[in-house]
Amino acid sequence: MSDLPIAEHGLIGDLRSAALVGTDGTIDWFCPRRFDAPSVFAALLDGGGGHWTMAPTCEVAARSQFYFPDSAVLVTRFLTEHGIVEVQDFMPVLRRDDPDHHQRLVRRVVGVRGTVGMRTEIAPRPDYARSDAIAKAVPGGVWFSGDDLALGLGATVGIDVSGDVTAGFVLDEGASEIFVLDVADAGAEPPVDLRPTEVDALFDATVVFWRGWLATSSYTGRWREVVHRSAITLKLLTHEPSGAVVAAPTMGLPEQLGGERNWDYRYVWLRDAAFSLYALLRLGFTAEAEAFVGWLTDRFAVPRDGESGPLRVMYTIDGEPPPDEGPLAHLAGYRDSAPVLVGNGAGDQLQLDVYGEIIDSVYLFDKYGSGISHGDWENLCVVIDWLREHWDQPDEGIWETRGGRGDHVYSRLMCWVALERMIRMARRRGLPGDLTGWTTTRDEIYRQIMDKGWDAERGAFVQRYGSTTLDASLLLMPMVKFVAPTEPRFLSTLDAIRNELVVDTLVFRYDAADGLDGDEGTFSMCSFWYVEALTRAGRLDDARVALEKMFTYANHLGLYAEEIGLTGDQLGNFPQAFTHLSLVSAAINLDRALR
């Protein structure tokens, strides 16, 4: 198993899938073809899970990583007593919506100074390490075959296929060696014919693609480098062929070391994707927003039957239900955090808030993008009619707790948002709808929240009706325009959250039992919500300090997992889209306020 902390990794990808590369030069997570496919490299979860190492044979004095400027090309540097070597890792992306795209992992190893011996080992373990890959030497490299997958390894050095595939080589200053792993379907013969000049062209074209994409960003504020790194990360979590945005590229990484909160995040949470759409629109990436809305409206067009409503909480990138949740018992888990779970059992939960988040995102797209069609509007009306009949019932809530349903204030809040945004769209564009009925229900929800969601003794809005538990999701109240940011009840809630859920600038989701064993870290997206709440409340000095402190909790590349532990460790699946889009929103709004 990889000994590296979660934070000691960088992300590369090709808008179909992604890989994690450690600061030790190891690719220890990669699912070929698509984000939610079975892994071939999973050493991050188990020592026998498969890996691709690349490291000096001598002792390493220091290691570092950085991204080639304004790109998703990752560079890992090794400083040794014999010299300096860097490994340039990337997955080629040559153009938008490339019909000829095929998936490759490219590793270019460059001698920067002195003479350094290097060794690489490639050990694919298909199907989450439940099967082996058979290696066969061919001219110029190796073919790996197994189950429904074929891999072709091309290299500019000699390869040894006795046991796991290995190679040793020496790099002089200015010299380079190249390795390319091509992904193909079972039975195919992936290419291994490798020409260095072609790889140089792939590198250049990939850098040009990322820089060209980033050049369309409209953000010019104080934190440009941080915001743009988050934008690239969000783009890396986008499945370009479908337009879907996954919550994270990994599975099984623990929210608590040794605990049971080891979820599979390689799916599309409607909530997360809706907020991603907001961030992309705010940055000017309208093409990505339009692609996701296209994916989303396809879900509206095929409503499902069931008590959790016409929309699911989450989908695969194809728009299907996620697989049933179950353990991969043969995997030890990251630092013995078992079970490693594949699939996700929250897919059939009733989480009423998703309707508000989705309709809000469609409202924003209709306002700032190209607008929604007649058919999409008709489908939205079906969804809102269902919500009018079902909003006033217990649900599992935004945090997907496994402790039973409750009357969650945040869920009611987002039901209010759903109706309020439908009314706005109808009035702005003259679209047909039951404005009288929608307005009546919207106002009923508002009054219920103000009556039952407010605890006068606590001086705060609370997580559930009848409880005294605080919940960081209620920081979003002024952001969705339910209350003014200077509303006395909200300011009192903000103070209560600051006193009880905030440590420095790190924010816990809530402080209550949730049906699971163990504790969890602070949630980074909640910390960025806190920054934005401070901003909207006019506490700009506090907001700016809080934001700058949050930047210090990123890893060396500016990436965030879902949570931050007591010692500052990144916890949970990595990197997490929701955290990065919350960063973007907080930075943009604070920038605007500081002007």
Side-chain angles (χ1 to χ4, degrees), residues 370-578:
S370 58
I372 63 171
S373 68
H374 166 72
D376 293 339
W377 176 254
E378 292 293 309
N379 291 332
L380 272 180
C381 289
V382 172
V383 170
I384 206 67
D385 286 342
W386 179 90
L387 191 64
R388 282 190 65 203
E389 296 295 324
H390 294 86
W391 67 269
D392 193 13
Q393 62 177 307
D395 73 340
E396 275 87 4
I398 180 176
W399 304 127
E400 299 179 352
T401 59
R402 305 292 174 101
R405 294 181 178 179
D407 293 306
H408 291 92
V409 175
Y410 180 76
S411 296
R412 299 294 202 277
L413 169 68
M414 297 312 293
C415 289
W416 177 92
V417 168
L419 286 153
E420 201 274 339
R421 301 308 190 261
M422 288 291 287
I423 294 167
R424 285 195 188 198
M425 279 190 284
R427 286 177 172 165
R428 188 175 65 84
R429 291 199 32 206
L431 295 169
D434 182 9
L435 290 176
T436 300
W438 296 348
T439 301
T440 299
T441 306
R442 180 200 65 183
D443 294 348
E444 183 181 353
I445 298 171
Y446 178 90
R447 293 189 181 97
Q448 188 189 88
I449 292 173
M450 285 299 186
D451 179 33
K452 296 183 178 181
W454 170 256
D455 187 305
E457 290 186 15
R458 202 82 160 78
F461 290 105
V462 292
Q463 183 182 70
R464 302 183 183 203
Y465 294 163
S467 78
T468 59
T469 301
L470 296 175
D471 192 313
S473 65
L474 301 179
L475 291 168
L476 293 174
M477 279 184 153
M479 300 179 211
V480 299
K481 304 188 185 306
F482 180 80
V483 296
T486 55
E487 158 68 39
R489 287 189 175 192
F490 176 73
L491 293 178
S492 181
T493 302
L494 178 59
D495 289 338
I497 288 173
R498 180 195 63 201
N499 293 334
E500 298 186 35
L501 296 184
V502 179
V503 179
D504 193 24
T505 61
L506 301 174
V507 181
F508 290 95
R509 295 187 294 178
Y510 48 76
D511 184 16
D514 58 9
L516 293 167
D517 292 333
D519 299 318
E520 62 182 13
T522 57
F523 263 57
S524 293
M525 65 182 177
C526 296
S527 300
F528 288 115
W529 290 348
Y530 179 59
V531 171
E532 190 158 349
L534 291 171
T535 299
R536 291 176 183 269
R539 302 175 184 179
L540 300 186
D541 288 342
D542 291 343
R544 189 166 187 178
V545 170
L547 184 62
E548 293 288 355
K549 283 186 176 181
M550 274 307 298
F551 291 158
T552 71
Y553 289 105
N555 83 340
H556 56 289
L557 296 168
L559 305 180
Y560 292 85
E562 184 175 36
E563 299 183 24
I564 295 172
L566 183 63
T567 59
D569 293 339
Q570 301 269 356
L571 296 172
N573 286 296
F574 175 86
Q576 192 209 27
F578 216 150

Side-chain angles (χ1 to χ4, degrees), residues 10-14 17-19 21 27 67 72 74 89-91 105 236:
L11 182 73
I12 59 174
D14 66 348
S17 186
V21 185
I27 298 178
Y67 280 108
L74 183 65
D89 287 309
F90 65 100
M91 296 176 69
L105 286 171
L236 283 169

Side-chain angles (χ1 to χ4, degrees), residues 294-309:
W295 180 91
L296 176 63
T297 52
D298 286 343
R299 310 288 79 74
F300 290 150
V302 189
R304 72 186 190 113
D305 294 324
E307 64 170 317
S308 55

Side-chain angles (χ1 to χ4, degrees), residues 10 15 133 148 158 162 169 171 187 198-199 296 301 482 502 514 554 563 571:
L15 313 182
D148 65 343
S162 57
F169 55 99
L171 277 176
E198 292 179 358
V199 172
L296 176 63
F482 180 80
V502 179
D514 58 9
E563 299 183 24
L571 296 172

Side-chain angles (χ1 to χ4, degrees), residues 340-369:
V340 173
L341 297 173
V342 64
N344 201 294
D348 287 323
Q349 286 188 352
L350 175 62
Q351 297 176 23
L352 291 167
D353 66 285
V354 301
Y355 292 92
E357 285 132 359
I358 285 301
I359 292 177
D360 189 37
S361 70
V362 173
Y363 160 75
L364 291 171
F365 179 75
D366 188 66
K367 184 176 181 179
Y368 298 109

